[in-house]
Amino acid sequence: MARKQTMLDKVIEAIPRSQSSDLYWEGSFDEYLEKVRDNPGVTRNAFMRLHDMILAAGVTEYIDNKKKIIHYNFFDSLNDGTADAIYGLDIPLERFVNVLAAAARGYGPERRIILLHGPVGSSKSTIVRLLKKGLERYTATPEGALYTYSWKVPGDLAGRVSLPPGGEDAEEIFACPMHEEPLRLVPDQWRPRVVELIGLPPDGPEVRIEGDLCPACRYIYRQLMTRYNGDWSKVVDHIIVQRLVMSEKDRIGIGTFQPKDEKNQDSTELTGDINYRKIAIYGSDSDPRAFNFDGEFNIANRGLIEFIEILKLDVAFLYDLLGATQEHKIKPKKFAQTDIDEVIIGHTNEAEYKKLLKNEYMEALRDRTIKIDVPYITRVSEEKRIYEKLYSAQRVPNVHVAPHTLEVAAMWAVLTRLEPPRKQGLTDLQKLKLYDGKYLPGYTAETVKELRKETEREGMEGISPRYVQDKISNALITQTQGCLNPFMVLNELEKGLRYHSLINDEEQRQRYSDMIGVVKAEYEDLVKNEVRRALSADVDAIRKLAMNYIDNVKAYLLKEKVRDRYTGRDQEADERLMRSIEEKIDIPESRKDDFRKEIMNFIGALAIEGKEFEYDTNDRLRRALELKLFEDQKDSIKLTSVISHSVDRDSQDKIDVVKTRMKKEMGYCEICATDVLNFVASIFARGDAKEAD
């Protein structure tokens, strides 16, 4: 009789019995040399590996205001279920990767601390977190493979107080405590010859053998060389080479140091400490086997160490940090300086950095630091992506987030970060739109470049994304109708300003509050346009009207004729059609030629950049087209009937059609579609004659 399958059996079936066997590879030193010959990349240093890891995810190039920008796909997301991803910081990240590239080539930055500097909540920690997670994944792949070694130590090794169980013939396995590169076992004077014998192609990657053994491995090496009368070949017979996969949780190749109360923290947290229990085994506190090489610098060897709030470090830690940075060496207690190979990344906020500039005792640290500013995002579309990832339908399954809710939150956050434009006649809101790639008449890509150049600290001050997230969360919890709309979020943002811990200036608080009003006014325009579009027709109708207008404008400017799509006959440009559209946005007769040339130049500029023209690419033209179509069909439904107490059956049917279109094409639900229609109808009912009949 067959045994009934248990729940454990099902679990075992679901989990692979053996993960990739390559991750658990062990072999001799000779087998490792074969691996080095086949793939010299296994000997890369920490900077090389980190740089290659980022490039392995691919890059995307794009043009932003006539400037080529490189986007590194690595920082998009690791698809591990977290919200970790970097948006809108391509330029700071490009600077960061350039530093890594220079360090990987040995141009100097490898002897510096990389300091990520910026306001609170600007993604500094997220950048480092992505790098640490990335190393864990990359070193588990064939491309990111690296190796370390262990010793098979004879039981009677000299210097031991008592023999291990099994006596003199027993062997202990002693793992290199700092996960060092196995080629460090090759003596200095032999290294060039060994590299030559490996037989690498002249145009291929080089084999790197840098640094000396750690004190514990050097002790064992020296004892074995003594035993075998200097026969190095017998010494390496005691070596087991192993695959190394980095892990922050297991403290392998990734370290993190966070300043604490100076009374409860000393430099041994960085460089290790004596293991007093092992003194009884090895007989001396100067025996390196009785020392725990488990400080953050030790365990981060071959990888990366993160210093959280690095500028809050006590001066006592400064000496270890400077030596590790400049010389790539640390000084464990009672032992000689020890070589390390790791990327040192710190991050700090604005206030701490200002203290550093004033502290003359920290001049050595400043001199060994490469500062990379990580500002707040200044593009609404990128800021919005942060909130979309956090408040997606999967993460907030029971509440519908109405269209533009996250967009208005992003608009307000970005407005607080922008410096007032110096260009006369340009408003904060217009500057925000230009930064986000929107087209505004009279402004070009050169304008945006000038606006960015004239700023001094743009993005280094303003409202943090964390504050916005907190207020969106509050609004989600307090809403009662199952739908979160923009006004709920804006009201929460405004109320919270009274208690914002980082705003001490009442004038600044008032300015941020006034910006809420600016965003509300912009939102009103957005929803009025959307309701018009829903009332007027579908997108195809607007697109056809746009193409018709463009064809006529082109014919008018080139003094050509237009072929009628219905009759097939050539005819003069339709002046009446063109003016009926242009008048909707107050283009006077005297300026019609300027506007038409502006539109054609805009289309030509898009073509040069390889982009296709769409009716909604140009905001003014889109608005004119929507108003024209709305005007043509306004008599089919009276919008103000939405808020009346008695709606006839025919009007109600038309309102239902509009709601259906808003739900299907614009992302509204029944609740927010009804609310928006009521809101826009009330605006028109107050006497906005231009917007309604």
Side-chain angles (χ1 to χ4, degrees), residues 174-219:
F174 182 87
C176 173
M178 292 179 60
H179 318 298
E180 291 179 317
E181 161 62 48
L183 289 182
R184 282 192 175 184
L185 292 159
V186 179
D188 288 347
Q189 66 271 26
W190 298 351
R191 289 177 180 180
R193 178 61 178 155
V194 168
V195 172
E196 181 182 334
L197 290 172
I198 290 174
L200 299 173
D203 57 345
E206 63 176 323
V207 170
R208 304 184 69 86
I209 311 178
E210 299 172 339
D212 205 348
L213 301 175
C214 70
C217 291
R218 187 170 183 79
Y219 177 86

Side-chain angles (χ1 to χ4, degrees), residues 420-432 434 440-443 447 451 454:
R422 299 178 189 176
K423 193 173 183 67
Q424 191 171 7
L426 187 68
T427 66
D428 290 339
L429 188 63
Q430 288 174 319
K431 183 178 181 180
L432 175 141
L434 287 171
L440 294 179
Y443 300 103
T447 306
L451 288 171
E454 73 184 17

Side-chain angles (χ1 to χ4, degrees), residues 498-515:
R498 285 177 289 178
Y499 312 105
H500 197 299
S501 59
L502 298 180
I503 302 177
N504 300 317
D505 184 353
E506 191 58 39
E507 184 179 341
Q508 184 184 45
R509 197 187 313 273
Q510 185 59 49
R511 188 168 70 89
Y512 290 172
S513 181
D514 292 342
M515 288 174 179

